Amino acid sequence: MKKLPCEIQICMVSILFTSVMAIGLIDYENQINNLYEQNIRDKIYYQLRIDSLQSVIENINQYQYHFNETSDEELIDAMIQIESSGNDNAYTATEDAVGCLQIRRTMVKDVNRILKRQGHELRYEFKDRWCRQKSIEMFNIYRDYYNLTSPEEIARCWNGGPKGIYKPATVAYWNKVKNHLDS
């Protein structure tokens, strides 16, 4: 058998090498396309899961409000009775707690901080604690800002601060409020 010239051999090796490379590139391109399609399927799957979880959360929140049978007015009235026996002029000197909801200076500062963060120009003064209407306004700003929803959570966090629901010391306060609501 006759040996092929060197140029033809090189040419054939180049063609063979190029063919192998092309097949490899086509294979890589197919793998990339498969990964891209899998990524799209995963995104759709996880988006459906997220949507499903959001729906569950919305349902939970809906039931949370559904089972909250105590109106805000009833709860506020009960807390006013516990805090001050309904006396707008109540004053506890040892705590500098003032008015129907026994608001301390730190609460007025917290409410003003909340209002500032929310971009409101309204600010409360310490003397506003003596006014029932303004005390209830501050109470509502505090409750809404900390997203307090159940009567127990509202009462315990009013008594013990934003994390009052986790403080054992606020259980007795809640029991007093609950007993007043139940009576």
Side-chain angles (χ1 to χ4, degrees):
M1 183 179 230
K2 204 173 180 193
K3 196 171 181 188
L4 294 173
C6 187
E7 294 85 13
I8 294 177
Q9 285 180 359
I10 291 174
C11 188
M12 287 176 65
V13 169
S14 295
I15 291 171
L16 183 63
F17 181 75
T18 305
S19 298
V20 169
M21 289 291 290
I23 291 171
L25 288 176
I26 291 171
D27 185 51
Y28 283 129
E29 187 175 353
N30 287 338
Q31 288 178 12
I32 290 170
N33 286 336
N34 289 339
L35 288 172
Y36 179 74
E37 290 170 7
Q38 182 62 44
N39 188 24
I40 290 173
R41 285 192 299 272
D42 287 347
K43 282 181 180 180
I44 292 170
Y45 171 77
Y46 288 115
Q47 187 60 50
L48 290 172
R49 299 281 295 167
I50 289 170
D51 291 345
S52 175
L53 289 173
Q54 285 175 336
S55 176
V56 168
I57 290 169
E58 289 170 8
N59 286 338
I60 289 171
N61 287 336
Q62 178 184 7
Y63 291 120
Q64 183 173 358
Y65 288 107
H66 175 73
F67 290 115
N68 188 357
E69 296 173 1
T70 305
S71 72
D72 287 344
E73 190 174 308
E74 290 173 315
L75 179 61
I76 291 170
D77 287 344
M79 291 173 62
I80 287 173
Q81 288 305 311
I82 300 306
E83 292 284 356
S84 67
S85 298
N87 181 1
D88 292 347
N89 296 315
Y91 177 66
T92 305
T94 56
E95 299 177 5
D96 190 32
V98 172
C100 65
L101 281 166
Q102 291 292 281
I103 297 176
R104 298 179 182 157
R105 289 177 179 254
T106 56
M107 177 60 71
V108 177
K109 291 176 185 177
D110 193 27
V111 168
N112 285 335
R113 180 189 57 80
I114 291 166
L115 290 169
K116 184 177 180 181
R117 274 192 176 176
Q118 294 175 339
H120 297 287
E121 292 184 20
L122 173 67
R123 297 294 183 274
Y124 289 95
E125 299 178 9
F126 296 137
K127 68 180 182 179
D128 292 333
R129 300 177 291 168
W130 296 101
C131 173
R132 180 179 291 243
Q133 178 185 342
K134 290 183 179 184
S135 291
I136 293 172
E137 287 173 9
M138 286 188 269
F139 169 86
N140 288 329
I141 291 166
Y142 178 86
R143 179 203 60 213
D144 293 346
Y145 180 77
Y146 289 108
N147 196 29
L148 307 175
T149 56
S150 74
E152 180 179 4
E153 184 180 34
I154 293 167
R156 290 181 66 186
C157 290
W158 181 256
N159 181 248
K163 296 185 181 185
I165 191 71
Y166 305 111
K167 296 178 181 177
T170 62
V171 173
Y173 179 80
W174 163 241
N175 287 334
K176 289 178 190 177
V177 172
K178 187 174 183 311
N179 287 339
H180 194 277
L181 288 169
D182 292 342
S183 63

